[in-house]
Amino acid sequence: MQDILFDFISKYVSLTEDEKNALLSLDLFHSVKKGTVLLKEGQKSQEIYFVLKGCIRVYYIIDGEEKTTAFYTELDALTPHFVINKAPSDYFISCVEDSILLVSNTDMSVEVNSKFPKFDIMCRMLSEELLAKGQIDFDEFKTSSPEQRYLNLLQKRPDLLQRVPQHQLASFLGIKPQSLSRLRARILKKKS
Amino acid sequence: MQDILFDFISKYVSLTEDEKNALLSLDLFHSVKKGTVLLKEGQKSQEIYFVLKGCIRVYYIIDGEEKTTAFYTELDALTPHFVINKAPSDYFISCVEDSILLVSNTDMSVEVNSKFPKFDIMCRMLSEELLAKGQIDFDEFKTSSPEQRYLNLLQKRPDLLQRVPQHQLASFLGIKPQSLSRLRARILKKKS
DNA sequence: CATATTTCTTAACTTAAGTGAACGAGTTAG
DNA sequence: CTAACTCGTTCACTTAAGTTAAGAAATATG
């Protein structure tokens, strides 16, 4: 599990053994059971999550309805907005599957970053990369229909369709569960 | 115009006179006429834009149709993906109004950043902030209807409705120009 | 100044998503 | 084991967006 982390980091910066040990000494790895709520609306979370194994999701509760907006799976990093904008969370984070997460917090980050400037560099590279990816995803979402978005998801993250309940996928695609059901039936019909 | 830039920067880091002069010596300010295309699909742009005055927009051409996905106005920064992912652009950038832009490129950034680590820190803060904002915008987009998105835009960026043609706003809202027109008429009716 | 061209609106019609309800399959809890 | 609940699907109906076309108004161009 540590190797997965170090392999990921090595894409951005190369660490010495000392640095690796410093990281490991922080006790960052956590097992989390399916269904666990990691963050609730209104909380001021300082925690940063990195998914080593499993899946977590971000969702809002609007008019009593869950609206899922993001799934984070293997090697995805999730930084709640509080870490950046200091406002209490307006969404929830929960665990879709039994997962192994790397959980860090602002204090730790500050400490590590000041000791090892490399982490700082990596963080910058990461957030720039995520910013670009986020914009591309948003653009694709805006410029395509629900059906195209579904087919696109089928291409890019086929695993999600297996591991996540459909009603959560629906709001992720910006539609209602019934519409996703119908849309899928429509596509099957077309193929035949 | 310089003050606008320095005021913006001062929100992140404080610059010495030396640093300010170094920045100014780079000749970053450019006047750009309305309609100018700053970046075309397929190009590998190294340029980073910061809007001091005016408005620029990002759009794709899909099946011969323009699809606008973003507008950048005063104090917004636009970093094309090439700077991050090294792939040729799949979108266009053009000037909506006569504008004054700060135009930088990767070489300049590298040079400035190595001389003044402060800029590096600012870039990191900026990209983290933009990442969070981008996620919030995407979440709002996913969880709301075209009508809600229009009303939301009316609240958050009322200026855009004045300065940008409606058919560009339409795709920005994820719909067709005719639908935006109809939607506006519907809202007017409701109010009365 | 006259003529294109662009921009916005309207309308009629088609297609797809939202809504409310019902049903069965599978799961969970008492 | 049964009752309650969750999840996905289907259906009928409503609402809104896509499509095609036409025309008016504003803007740009020779």
Side-chain angles (χ1 to χ4, degrees), chain B residues 79-92:
Chain B
T79 303
H81 304 152
F82 177 73
V83 176
I84 296 155
N85 70 10
K86 307 298 170 199
S89 175
D90 47 0
Y91 55 76
F92 297 75

Side-chain angles (χ1 to χ4, degrees), chain A residues 25-43:
Chain A
S25 72
L26 290 170
D27 186 34
L28 298 170
F29 298 86
H30 294 268
S31 282
V32 188
K33 281 268 165 238
K34 174 178 176 175
T36 307
V37 177
L38 299 164
L39 171 68
K40 287 183 182 160
E41 186 184 0
Q43 288 183 340

Side-chain angles (χ1 to χ4, degrees), chain B:
Chain B
M1 206 46 67
Q2 301 170 4
D3 292 340
I4 296 176
L5 173 62
F6 291 138
D7 280 356
F8 177 81
I9 292 176
S10 73
K11 285 189 291 182
Y12 300 94
V13 294
S14 54
L15 299 183
T16 64
E17 285 304 315
D18 273 0
E19 288 165 335
K20 286 186 183 179
N21 288 331
L23 249 190
L24 292 179
S25 72
L26 290 170
D27 187 34
L28 298 170
F29 299 86
H30 294 268
S31 282
V32 188
K33 281 267 166 239
K34 174 178 176 175
T36 307
V37 176
L38 298 165
L39 171 68
K40 286 183 184 161
E41 187 183 0
Q43 290 183 339
K44 296 177 181 177
S45 166
Q46 305 267 13
E47 291 183 334
I48 293 167
Y49 305 100
F50 179 79
V51 181
L52 288 156
K53 187 164 176 15
C55 178
I56 58 182
R57 74 185 240 267
V58 168
Y59 61 99
Y60 294 72
I61 295 185
I62 298 172
D63 299 331
E65 257 187 291
E66 274 191 17
K67 306 256 189 179
T68 300
T69 57
F71 296 102
Y72 295 83
T73 54
E74 285 74 14
L75 305 190
D76 286 334
L78 197 181
T79 303
H81 304 152
F82 177 73
V83 176
I84 296 155
N85 70 10
K86 307 298 170 199
S89 175
D90 47 0
Y91 55 76
F92 297 75
I93 302 175
S94 87
C95 219
V96 173
E97 304 168 346
D98 290 353
S99 304
I100 299 171
L101 307 177
L102 187 157
V103 183
S104 175
N105 61 43
T106 317
D107 297 339
M108 271 188 206
S109 303
V110 170
E111 192 192 321
V112 174
N113 284 343
S114 62
K115 272 191 201 157
F116 304 108
K118 274 181 198 171
F119 286 103
D120 219 59
I121 293 171
M122 185 182 74
C123 285
R124 181 182 160 188
M125 292 172 74
L126 237 183
S127 69
E128 284 181 349
E129 185 187 317
L130 293 178
L131 177 60
K133 273 190 192 164
Q135 282 174 358
I136 291 170
D137 285 348
F138 198 175
D139 289 352
E140 271 180 356
F141 194 94
K142 272 186 182 171
T143 57
S144 55
S145 65
E147 185 171 324
Q148 288 171 316
R149 296 201 285 260
Y150 173 77
L151 292 170
N152 196 25
L153 191 68
L154 213 60
Q155 293 283 325
K156 295 203 173 169
R157 300 179 74 178
D159 57 303
L160 270 191
L161 290 136
Q162 306 308 319
R163 58 208 293 198
V164 162
Q166 303 228 353
H167 66 277
Q168 291 174 9
L169 273 179
S171 48
F172 182 65
L173 292 169
I175 56 177
K176 301 281 159 177
Q178 299 91 318
S179 297
L180 177 54
S181 219
R182 179 169 41 197
L183 182 157
R184 283 158 55 88
R186 201 165 61 221
I187 290 171
L188 277 177
K189 231 183 189 172
K190 278 186 193 169
K191 279 189 183 167
S192 63

